[in-house]
Amino acid sequence: MAISGLPDWPWAGTVADDLPSQEKLLLDAIRAWHGAARAGRPPLPAAAMILATEDAGAAAPPLDALLRAAPIAAGCAFCQQVAPQEAALLLACALAQRGARSEALAALLRLLPLQAAYAAMPAAIHLGCAFRRAGLLLRHPIREAMRPRPAARG
């Protein structure tokens, strides 16, 4: 499967506070999960507390499963910029939520070997469904990446 055709995700390197609210919520939950895991605490409750702020607590178990299947290098809760692996995981989640499963798998293949990417897909799909049931729709990643950027004024 070719993965080079996917555009660069527009959130890589972005200031985390400038993300749309749904992506920021997911990023905060990912970072809370990783922070708890690094500290030796159970990561699921840490992510669940973040997700519960937007009535998306049901998304915690699939997020836990996804992050166990797709171990990425996530930043800390206070990191200002979105790391490339975080952005790639946001891309995969958004594509899975939109039903673009082959593209979501391609995004996961940027992060993981083939078997791990396949293992992460069900969790990404369930996470997208849980977000949708909570009324949280992630941005359409292909449209965002293809949107023309405003020209610099000078």
Side-chain angles (χ1 to χ4, degrees), residues 4-127:
S4 61
L6 288 174
D8 289 335
W9 182 236
W11 308 133
T14 300
V15 175
D17 289 336
D18 291 344
L19 288 174
S21 60
Q22 296 88 335
E23 282 81 2
K24 177 71 168 115
L25 175 68
L26 182 53
L27 179 66
D28 287 345
I30 290 168
R31 288 178 171 181
W33 189 96
H34 277 279
R38 282 190 290 260
R41 296 188 319 266
L44 179 61
M49 284 182 30
I50 299 293
L51 294 168
T53 63
E54 293 293 328
D55 294 327
L63 178 63
D64 182 61
L66 176 62
L67 293 175
R68 290 181 190 281
I72 64 162
C76 70
F78 301 109
C79 290
Q80 292 186 357
Q81 290 190 329
V82 179
Q85 288 192 349
E86 293 171 330
L89 193 59
L90 289 175
L91 169 65
C93 291
L95 288 166
Q97 185 185 49
R98 296 293 182 144
R101 293 181 181 178
S102 60
E103 290 87 352
L105 179 61
L108 287 171
L109 284 170
R110 288 179 163 186
L111 299 170
L112 306 167
L114 182 62
Q115 285 185 332
Y118 273 115
M121 276 300 296
I125 292 167
H126 289 294
L127 176 64

